[in-house]
Amino acid sequence: MQPSSLLSSLHSSINLHSTPSLSLLPPSSSSSSSSSFLSFHSSSSLHFTPLNVSFSPLHATSPTKTKGLSFRVTCASTNQPLKVMISGAPASGKGTQCELIVQKFGLVHISTGDLLRAEVSAGTEIGNKAKEFMNAGQLVPDEIVTAMVTTRLSREDAKEKGWLLDGYPRSFSQAESLEKLKIRPDVYVVLDVPDEILIDRCIGRKLDPVTGKIYHLKNFPPETEEIKARLVTRPDDTEEKVKSRLDIYKQNAKSISSTYSNIMKKVNGNRPKEMVFKDVESLLSQAQGEKVKTATSGKPALKSEDSWKGIPTRLNNIPHSREIRNYFYDDVLQATQRAVNDGRTRLRVDINIPELNPEMDVYRIGTLMELVRVLALSFADDGKRVKVCVQGSMGEGALAGMPLQLAGTRKILEFMDWGNEGAMGTFINIGSIGAKEVGEQDDMFILVAPQNAVGNCIIDDLRAMTDVAGQRPVILINPRLKDLPGSSGIMQTMGREERLVYAASFESCYFFRLLYYMGTQYPIMGALRMSYPYRYELYKRVDEAPGKEKYVILATFPEKPNSDEINDAFLGKPRNQAKKASGFWGFLSGVF
Ligand code: AP5
């Protein structure tokens, strides 16, 4: 039996406040501010304002042509057209692969290099500006290129047929511009070719100005003498300029790929172009297949990140209102579903609203249980058999204890209201942590706050469990896998490194943490949030009027920022400026 509409009974409260009193936070304060003595910078340095430039439609399309197709995948059939980015060093074969991709998948090819060359040859204002940078083998200023790309992406054909973005983003700030506009590809293909090959490829490259086709004097010579006679060489294809372009590519590649690390696919581009295309084609077909599957599975469409409502306010009001709790449950659920649908199998959720922060005495085990119930019922509603696991008592004799915050958890789970659809015992089962808990019928596992306790380490049981679980998703909710000091000192020494590596193998799919001044838990200064597959977002809490607050975004990060980066963002300092947190700005130190 598959439970349907299990979610209808989700939010019946279980009312289990472990500590109803509140000592650190004023009971009904809505994080009122002492921030007025701090002069935060109110605007984000990451704002993107497209330039007011217009492009002639003639030049706005890529010259890539499509020719006699044997078979074309119709990407628009799901109303979810494919979105692809292709990247790689100069002459890694992006343009060559794009010709083949367009033939097969019918995507709209948007090549910034081609768009710029079209502007240059048309002698437009933009072309004249871009020319000097291009001829020197340097990047054209972001404002020009970004405006060009976003204008082109917003056209109907790209929305309908899907797009293939070639040569953009080429710097971290370009990637950030797209992220801010919520423009994300389904797959990010990187062509990998050794440097020495790249230089030879550039020097031998010839272009046909009539068809836009790319040739190489040795590798792909022109078909006829007539074509050969009209071929041209790009002005930036000299050895010296290629080296400069290659340097620039290398300087930027890492920061861009970190933005897309979860969808990045590297392809060996140092093979005949047909072989390279085989790999590219299979990656794109796979991405397309996944889109079709999601669109036709009848599952409720995930709310897009665009509809995210922002951070809820009054988070210092404890207990949290039902709306606030539901808000976070929903936020975690969406991120987790996206990650599981993307085939991620080792996941962790870290949510530290006051009621779920074990370091605060307003911690409520009931809130944790409610969150677990929302996740489990939702996955069960999708037809998955979910095992919800809580670690049992650990160790022996005097050490046979269990972490305080988990005491009674299993009983609570068993007594909870799991709806009237019979999910409990069929699609949802309760177990503990360990290899023998993994049944053949289980499709996935949700582990409730697995944690090391003094003198005892949960990681061996966890590892044994994940070994047996194989490719089935294992989701840790608020794990605490750091070593804890024990009287024997064993945990600090034996196998420590291995344990840390194992703990780090779980990928974060949701992160939320409130930020305070160093050493305090009041007032709330801001928040850090990450929802898979998006970036870490740093927010500042601002008092608009007495009793009225809001959160404004300050910056985004591809990886979890450290406290220096957070401090710098609060101070409005440019990124990457090495600086230690100091003075009262050290408020975030120690948070992580
Ligand atoms: P752009 O045109 O994008 O140049 P690029 O990235 O340097 O890439 P190329 O076009 O040189 O190479 P490719 O990877 O497409 O290789 P191709 O298929 O042609 O940009 C040019 C300039 O515009 C930049 O330098 C910059 O100034 C500006 N610009 C562009 N985007 C920008 C941005 N976002 N921001 C700022 N500025 C920007 O292949 C190369 C050769 O190898 C060909 O001869 C081909 O026949 C051959 N070949 C291809 N595949 C194979 C294979 N598998 N085996 C053997 N030979 C092969």
Side-chain angles (χ1 to χ4, degrees):
M1 179 197 65
Q2 176 163 326
S4 60
S5 67
L6 288 171
L7 286 167
S8 56
S9 54
L10 265 184
H11 298 302
S12 50
S13 170
I14 53 172
N15 223 6
L16 285 159
H17 305 196
S18 65
T19 330
S21 67
L22 171 102
S23 70
L24 286 174
L25 308 169
S28 62
S29 72
S30 68
S31 43
S32 72
S33 170
S34 64
S35 65
S36 49
F37 72 92
L38 303 171
S39 60
F40 288 133
H41 288 243
S42 60
S43 68
S44 157
S45 56
L46 300 173
H47 271 299
F48 165 65
T49 325
L51 277 189
N52 194 12
V53 286
S54 58
F55 300 96
S56 114
L58 264 180
H59 303 130
T61 48
S62 150
T64 304
K65 64 184 185 60
T66 53
K67 47 177 193 178
L69 313 180
S70 51
F71 172 67
R72 176 181 282 190
V73 177
T74 310
C75 295
S77 61
T78 60
N79 290 331
Q80 296 270 334
L82 198 57
K83 295 172 281 180
V84 180
M85 271 181 195
I86 188 159
S87 174
S92 53
K94 301 181 291 296
T96 303
Q97 291 303 316
C98 285
E99 284 182 8
L100 301 168
I101 295 171
V102 170
Q103 285 174 25
K104 177 95 190 192
F105 292 87
L107 304 178
V108 174
H109 178 206
I110 303 172
S111 152
T112 41
D114 289 344
L115 289 174
L116 287 166
R117 280 186 286 277
E119 295 288 334
V120 171
S121 61
T124 63
E125 195 186 329
I126 283 173
N128 292 337
K129 270 193 196 150
K131 193 175 174 178
E132 48 182 298
F133 294 96
M134 295 174 76
N135 287 349
Q138 284 168 6
L139 292 186
V140 173
D142 282 356
E143 316 85 79
I144 295 179
V145 192
T146 298
M148 206 154 108
V149 168
T150 50
T151 307
R152 184 64 190 90
L153 280 171
S154 65
R155 283 174 48 180
E156 263 329 291
D157 59 344
K159 285 190 202 158
E160 257 170 41
K161 297 180 188 166
W163 44 258
L164 170 61
L165 199 46
D166 162 10
Y168 191 98
R170 238 182 171 97
S171 64
F172 183 63
S173 61
Q174 291 182 3
E176 291 237 295
S177 299
L178 289 188
E179 288 286 296
K180 286 225 111 185
L181 295 168
K182 308 247 185 249
I183 298 173
R184 252 199 163 242
D186 301 305
V187 54
Y188 179 70
V189 179
V190 179
L191 299 176
D192 200 17
V193 178
D195 290 3
E196 58 286 1
I197 308 272
L198 293 170
I199 292 169
D200 172 67
R201 280 193 191 178
C202 264
I203 293 166
R205 170 167 45 195
K206 296 281 170 196
L207 295 181
D208 183 342
V210 176
T211 62
K213 199 167 169 188
I214 307 163
Y215 293 94
H216 188 279
L217 289 178
K218 266 192 292 169
N219 302 341
F220 309 115
E223 296 88 349
T224 63
E225 282 301 317
E226 189 194 345
I227 298 175
K228 190 176 177 186
R230 66 181 187 225
L231 294 182
V232 293
T233 307
R234 273 173 43 175
D236 56 350
D237 270 351
T238 65
E239 183 164 351
E240 187 195 350
K241 285 171 190 168
V242 174
K243 283 185 176 157
S244 151
R245 284 158 57 200
L246 191 53
D247 279 349
I248 295 174
Y249 170 77
K250 285 182 179 168
Q251 281 160 27
N252 288 304
K254 207 165 164 224
S255 64
I256 302 169
S257 55
S258 68
T259 306
Y260 302 111
S261 55
N262 58 330
I263 45 167
M264 181 167 95
K265 307 283 177 194
K266 264 197 181 173
V267 173
N268 175 3
N270 189 19
R271 294 172 297 163
K273 68 176 178 184
E274 296 76 14
M275 278 179 75
V276 178
F277 182 62
K278 257 194 163 197
D279 283 3
V280 172
E281 181 189 15
S282 123
L283 288 172
L284 267 54
S285 299
Q286 201 183 332
Q288 182 62 26
E290 276 162 22
K291 288 197 99 151
V292 173
K293 211 163 83 191
T294 315
T296 54
S297 65
K299 290 176 193 167
L302 286 169
K303 252 200 269 168
S304 92
E305 191 68 357
D306 293 340
S307 62
W308 186 61
K309 293 171 292 212
I311 296 193
T313 54
R314 305 179 75 80
L315 285 172
N316 260 357
N317 281 358
I318 315 284
H320 292 321
S321 66
R322 181 170 294 201
E323 287 70 35
I324 286 186
R325 298 201 312 270
N326 286 345
Y327 178 96
F328 279 108
Y329 302 156
D330 192 40
D331 207 23
V332 174
L333 174 63
Q334 290 190 40
T336 317
Q337 281 185 331
R338 283 193 291 259
V340 170
N341 289 343
D342 275 4
R344 306 291 162 149
T345 56
R346 297 289 173 266
L347 297 167
R348 61 182 289 162
V349 166
D350 293 273
I351 169 165
N352 264 292
I353 52 176
E355 279 188 8
L356 285 177
N357 182 351
E359 278 137 38
M360 296 176 92
D361 67 353
V362 291
Y363 182 77
R364 294 169 87 210
I365 191 78
T367 305
L368 182 67
M369 298 294 98
E370 269 191 334
L371 168 65
V372 168
R373 181 171 57 180
V374 169
L375 295 179
L377 282 173
S378 174
F379 282 111
D381 219 24
D382 286 349
K384 294 198 170 72
R385 288 178 182 268
V386 185
K387 185 163 271 176
V388 176
C389 304
V390 189
Q391 71 197 69
S393 62
M394 306 184 324
E396 286 180 6
L399 295 174
M402 83 174 344
L404 195 57
Q405 52 156 310
L406 288 179
T409 308
R410 179 152 185 169
K411 274 269 163 293
I412 297 167
L413 281 170
E414 283 165 4
F415 287 132
M416 269 170 79
D417 174 4
W418 289 92
N420 300 324
E421 312 286 337
M424 179 46 75
T426 56
F427 277 79
I428 295 176
N429 286 287
I430 313 281
S432 55
I433 294 179
K436 64 178 189 324
E437 295 295 323
V438 180
E440 233 172 72
Q441 71 288 355
D442 298 322
D443 293 319
M444 61 186 292
F445 305 86
I446 297 179
L447 275 50
V448 184
Q451 53 197 282
N452 292 326
V454 173
N456 279 302
C457 179
I458 188 69
I459 289 192
D460 290 339
D461 287 340
L462 199 53
R463 195 195 323 246
M465 185 171 187
T466 50
D467 283 351
V468 183
Q471 286 309 301
R472 290 174 274 181
V474 176
I475 305 169
L476 315 182
I477 311 293
N478 280 3
R480 302 179 85 195
L481 301 180
K482 284 201 181 120
D483 287 351
L484 292 175
S487 51
S488 59
I490 286 174
M491 216 189 286
Q492 281 93 329
T493 51
M494 285 171 62
R496 178 166 193 266
E497 205 141 295
E498 243 182 57
R499 281 198 301 276
L500 293 180
V501 169
Y502 174 76
S505 68
F506 285 82
E507 177 186 2
S508 187
C509 72
Y510 185 82
F511 184 92
F512 184 90
R513 169 146 216 161
L514 290 172
L515 305 172
Y516 305 91
Y517 274 107
M518 186 166 54
T520 73
Q521 282 169 325
Y522 177 82
I524 295 171
M525 301 306 299
L528 185 63
R529 169 185 180 263
M530 190 279 294
S531 169
Y532 176 93
Y534 301 98
R535 295 158 68 84
Y536 282 83
E537 296 160 350
L538 176 65
Y539 294 86
K540 180 177 74 164
R541 194 188 63 79
V542 178
D543 286 306
E544 285 182 295
K548 199 160 173 245
E549 57 175 354
K550 67 173 182 182
Y551 285 81
V552 292
I553 190 155
L554 279 184
T556 69
F557 303 85
E559 304 292 339
K560 189 158 98 182
N562 59 33
S563 45
D564 280 353
E565 289 171 307
I566 293 178
N567 274 299
D568 285 351
F570 268 81
L571 284 166
K573 288 204 173 145
R575 221 42 91 61
N576 300 330
Q577 188 177 320
K579 186 192 165 300
K580 279 250 167 278
S582 61
F584 56 67
W585 291 110
F587 67 88
L588 295 163
S589 305
V591 159
F592 297 98

